[in-house]
Structures are given as C-alpha cells and as structure tokens.
C-alpha cells in the first residue's frame, strides 16, 4: 500500500514538473467544464464461433470547475458527476459501470506573492443510484445439458447517501495554476454516513459496513488528508486529468492510508466527438480489504461548457 501511494505521488510530481505555467491574471469568477455522453458496444450473431457475449454500455459524465480569484484570495470548486450502465445479453439485470457524485471546494489566501496559500477545504462524495450484489443459481441448459449459472437474485448493498463522505479542514495549498495544485490538511474531520438499515441486520458486527458500528448511521474520524489535481496536454488534442486523494485516520489504524486516484485521458476527435479512458483505483479498508479498480473506455459526444479556448 505504501509503495503504491509513493508511486502515485511521484508520478504526479513528475507530471507537474513538465506542465506549463498558466497566466494567473484572472479576476472574478471563471467557469469551464464538459458534458460527455459515451457509448461502447460488442455484438455477435448466433453463428459466431470465436466466443464472446453481446453487450452495450453508456455513460453520462459531467465535470465543471468554478473558480474565483481576486487579489490574494482564491476559491476553487470542482463538480464531478458520472453515471453509466451496461447490459449483457442473457443477464436479467442491467449493471452500473460507474456512479459518482463529488464536490471539491478549496478557499485559499495567498502568502505574499508565492505559490503557497493558507487554505480551508471541503469534500463531499456519494452516489446516485442503488448498488447490488448478484447471486446465481445453477440450471441445466436445455440444448447442451450443461450446468450454467443464471442470475436470479440481487441484494441491495448501497444507495444515495449510503455511503456518503464529508470531510473538511484547514491546511496549506500549493497552487501553481488552476490546473496544478496540491492541498495538505493535517487536521481533517471526516464524517461517514450510511442508512442504519444496513447496520441493524441480524448478526451485524461493528465496522462491517464502511466502518460504522451496529445500529449507527454515522462514523466520525479525525486525521490528515492530501488532495492533488494535475491537468496537462500530452500532445495536441490529448489531455490527462489526475485527481488524487489520500486520508489517514489518527483515531484508528493511522498506518492504513485511504486512497482514491482517478486518471482521465481525453482524446479530442473534433469539437463534438471525443474518446475517453477513465481509470480509478480506491483503497479503503473500511469498505473492503483490497483495491477497487474501475476502467471505462468509450467514444461519444462532448459539449464544452463556457469554453475558454
């Protein structure tokens, strides 16, 4: 875990070093972002012998920055919303490919004329829709007489605001530009909130559901956090966004660092068509003992909101 965290930090530092410095003469509010609708599909007819299952998927992605600057005061806000579904032939249930709602806000006051700011940050995360675990039952294929697994039951495990994360705290912001910044907050309060229906089931053990105790709907933590963002152009019409969040809880197992890293590769075809690849890695031992990995690749329609170029 420590090696992976160090590797991600070094990667971001190297990327920041190669990124070009931005003009910071902006005064007042500046808003810009994208709205993307992505699709991907695989289809096979009945005679196809190479193996494969027909499927199709789509996702809607909203990413918007609303930043304020006046004198030595800055206020940076990022809004992220992703939701995607996939349907696989012969499966009874449509599944989610991504589901995320996130708000990041950092208020900063510049130290003289440096790239350092006194800061206060707030982060909120949850999801839009219900999440499920799926169960299969063995049935006999009437044609081949083979035993196959068929999804018969789905069990709800998450939904909107369960879980939800809210964290805030004072710190120091290193900001080279709106596209390159790192916030360090050594005194961060974090509140995890869930539906107590999940923590009140028979046989529930304290901490099993996102660290929350039996019959409770919240968990309070106090620790340190680091949030970094870097956006830069690899080549013309190809850009890479990096968002990294680290958190350690002083009150329990401070050696276990929670990690949330998202890399989004945007490849522009023209003003309205683009290809995107999203990679996300999450480590949170309150949720599951292991890494959660998500990858999404799609081609679709992209609309720029308040473009600056």
């Amino acid at each position: 875990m420590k090696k992976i965290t160090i590797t991600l930090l070094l990667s971001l530092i190297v990327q920041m070093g190669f990124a070009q410095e931005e003009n910071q003469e902006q005064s007042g509010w500046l808003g810009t972002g994208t709205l993307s609708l992505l699709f991907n599909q695989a289809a096979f007819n009945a005679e196809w012998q190479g193996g494969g299952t027909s499927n199709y998927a789509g996702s809607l992605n909203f990413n918007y920055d609303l930043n304020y600057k006046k004198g030595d005061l800055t206020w940076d806000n990022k809004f992220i919303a992703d939701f995607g579904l996939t349907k696989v032939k012969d499966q009874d249930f449509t599944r989610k490919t991504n589901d995320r709602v996130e708000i990041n806000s950092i208020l900063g006051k510049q130290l003289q004329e440096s790239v350092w700011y006194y800061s206060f940050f707030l982060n909120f995360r949850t999801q839009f829709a219900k999440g499920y675990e799926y169960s299969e039952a063995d049935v006999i294929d009437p044609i081949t007489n083979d035993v196959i697994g068929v999804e018969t039951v789905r069990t709800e495990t998450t939904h909107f605001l369960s879980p939800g994360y809210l964290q805030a705290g004072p710190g120091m912001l290193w900001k080279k530009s709106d596209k390159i910044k790192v916030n360090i907050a050594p005194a961060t309060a974090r509140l995890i909130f869930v539906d107590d229906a999940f923590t009140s089931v028979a046989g529930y053990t304290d901490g099993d559901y996102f660290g929350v105790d039996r019959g409770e709907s919240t968990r309070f933590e106090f620790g340190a956090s680091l949030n970094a963002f870097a956006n830069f152009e690899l080549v013309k019409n190809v850009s890479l966004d990096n968002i990294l969040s680290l958190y350690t809880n002083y009150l329990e197992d401070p050696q276990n660092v929670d990690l949330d890293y998202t890399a989004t590769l945007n490849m522009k075809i023209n003003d309205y068509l683009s290809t995107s690849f999203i990679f996300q890695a999450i480590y949170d031992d309150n949720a599951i003992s292991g890494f959660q990995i998500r990858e999404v690749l799609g081609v679709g329609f992209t609309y720029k909101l308040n473009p600056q170029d």
Side-chain angles (χ1 to χ4, degrees), residues 146-262:
D146 293 333
V147 176
I148 58 175
V150 177
E151 289 180 348
T152 57
V153 177
R154 63 179 183 178
T155 304
E156 182 183 334
T157 56
T158 58
H159 57 67
F160 180 65
L161 296 181
S162 185
Y165 298 87
L166 178 65
Q167 59 185 37
M172 295 295 296
L173 171 66
W174 179 86
K175 182 178 179 181
K176 187 176 181 181
S177 72
D178 284 340
K179 294 185 177 182
I180 308 170
K181 46 197 166 185
V182 178
N183 188 71
I184 303 170
T188 298
R190 179 160 82 161
L191 185 67
I192 303 172
F193 38 95
V194 302
D195 187 336
D196 59 9
F198 294 114
T199 64
S200 301
V201 296
Y204 182 82
T205 301
D206 286 352
D208 276 357
Y209 190 73
F210 297 97
V212 180
D213 289 343
R214 176 175 174 78
E216 300 295 328
S217 59
T218 59
R219 169 185 170 91
F220 176 78
E221 297 180 348
F222 183 75
S225 68
L226 180 147
N227 298 281
F229 173 76
N231 166 276
F232 61 97
E233 190 174 62
L234 297 176
V235 294
K236 185 177 180 181
N237 295 329
V238 179
S239 64
L240 180 65
D241 285 349
N242 297 272
I243 301 175
L244 174 66
S245 298
L246 302 175
Y247 179 81
T248 181
N249 180 20
Y250 296 147
L251 306 180
E252 182 180 321
D253 298 327
Q255 73 279 6
N256 292 345
V257 179
D258 293 349
L259 178 149
D260 189 339
Y261 172 70
T262 303

Side-chain angles (χ1 to χ4, degrees), residues 23-32 64-77 106-107 175 178 308:
N23 183 352
Q24 297 196 53
E25 295 302 318
Q26 167 206 339
S27 181
W29 289 101
L30 176 64
T32 183
Y64 194 79
D65 293 321
L66 183 61
N67 299 334
Y68 176 82
K69 180 175 176 62
K70 187 172 183 180
D72 62 355
L73 185 69
T74 65
W75 186 13
D76 297 346
N77 302 278
I106 303 177
L107 182 65
K175 182 178 179 181
D178 284 340
Q308 301 302 308

Side-chain angles (χ1 to χ4, degrees), residues 2-214:
K2 291 182 179 179
K3 291 181 179 179
I4 294 174
T5 302
I6 292 171
T7 300
L8 290 175
L9 283 172
L10 290 176
S11 176
L12 279 178
I13 290 170
V14 170
Q15 293 168 9
M16 291 174 181
F18 282 103
Q20 294 181 353
E21 191 161 355
E22 298 287 317
N23 183 352
Q24 297 196 53
E25 295 302 318
Q26 167 206 339
S27 181
W29 289 101
L30 176 64
T32 183
T34 58
L35 180 66
S36 302
L37 184 61
L38 303 177
F39 298 97
N40 52 67
Q41 178 188 21
F44 309 89
N45 68 358
E47 289 71 35
W48 180 260
Q49 297 297 304
T53 303
S54 297
N55 64 86
Y56 55 89
S59 64
L60 183 65
N61 309 303
F62 173 78
N63 193 315
Y64 194 79
D65 293 321
L66 183 61
N67 299 334
Y68 176 82
K69 180 175 176 62
K70 187 172 183 180
D72 62 355
L73 185 69
T74 65
W75 186 13
D76 297 346
N77 302 278
K78 176 176 280 289
F79 306 91
I80 300 172
D82 296 332
F83 188 76
L85 296 171
T86 184
K87 175 62 178 175
V88 179
K89 183 181 178 182
D90 298 330
Q91 285 188 350
D92 290 337
F93 303 112
T94 299
R95 300 196 184 201
K96 293 192 295 183
T97 54
N98 52 309
D99 188 358
R100 180 183 189 185
V101 181
E102 183 166 355
I103 300 172
N104 291 286
S105 184
I106 303 177
L107 182 65
K109 182 174 177 59
Q110 191 175 23
L111 278 73
Q112 299 179 352
E113 295 184 0
S114 69
V115 294
W116 286 98
Y117 297 73
Y118 297 114
S119 68
F120 187 88
F121 91 102
L122 181 143
N123 172 268
F124 169 76
R125 289 186 290 126
T126 188
Q127 61 189 50
F128 286 107
K130 295 177 179 179
Y132 299 94
E133 287 184 351
Y134 298 87
S135 301
E136 291 187 349
D138 290 337
V139 298
I140 298 176
D141 189 306
I143 299 176
T144 65
N145 289 324
D146 293 333
V147 176
I148 58 175
V150 177
E151 289 180 348
T152 57
V153 177
R154 63 179 183 178
T155 304
E156 182 183 334
T157 56
T158 58
H159 57 67
F160 180 65
L161 296 181
S162 185
Y165 298 87
L166 178 65
Q167 59 185 37
M172 295 295 296
L173 171 66
W174 179 86
K175 182 178 179 181
K176 187 176 181 181
S177 72
D178 284 340
K179 294 185 177 182
I180 308 170
K181 46 197 166 185
V182 178
N183 188 71
I184 303 170
T188 298
R190 179 160 82 161
L191 185 67
I192 303 172
F193 38 95
V194 302
D195 187 336
D196 59 9
F198 294 114
T199 64
S200 301
V201 296
Y204 182 82
T205 301
D206 286 352
D208 276 357
Y209 190 73
F210 297 97
V212 180
D213 289 343
R214 176 175 174 78

